[in-house]
Each structure stands twice: as C-alpha cells, then as structure tokens.
Amino acid sequence: MAKVKLPGDLLKRAEAAAETAGYSSVTEFITHLIERELTKIETAVSDSTDADELKERLNGLGYIS
C-alpha cells in the first residue's frame, strides 16, 4: 500500500471527521472520499464522451451541423 503525506492540520481534521462519521480509521475515511471523487470525475468524463459521440452521430445523420 502506498503512503500519502498530508499536512498536519488536514490530517487532524480528517481524523476528527472520520471519528464523527463512524469510520474505523482515517485511512478508511480517506479511501472512501477518494473513491467517491474518482467516480464523479470518471462519470463526468464518460458523460462528456457520450455527448460528443451523440453530437457526431446526429451531425452525420444531418440533424445538426
């Protein structure tokens, strides 16, 4: 497992938030946050790609130019 260094104040905030939210560890909390953000980004990229493909198909069919 790779290690990530966080500034001390950010780590303290993450530890407090993890405890408040009921995570078993700050690592579990941060892992969940990263997974959630990656999913958002991947979905946005996928949606953008789908929109571009749809525009190309509609253009090819003569519906838009």
Side-chain angles (χ1 to χ4, degrees):
M1 177 182 283
K3 294 185 179 196
V4 176
K5 291 185 180 186
L6 299 174
D9 59 328
L10 182 58
L11 179 58
K12 288 181 192 277
R13 289 174 56 206
E15 289 169 339
E19 186 176 333
T20 301
Y23 287 88
S24 63
S25 68
V26 71
T27 299
E28 181 184 21
F29 174 65
I30 292 172
T31 299
H32 179 251
L33 292 176
I34 291 171
E35 287 175 345
R36 187 173 66 196
E37 291 305 308
L38 287 173
T39 298
K40 285 181 189 177
I41 292 167
E42 291 164 351
T43 300
V45 168
S46 176
D47 290 348
S48 175
T49 300
D50 292 344
D52 290 342
E53 289 173 3
L54 179 58
K55 286 178 187 176
E56 285 181 29
R57 292 175 74 191
L58 290 173
N59 188 20
L61 293 170
Y63 288 110
I64 60 174
S65 54

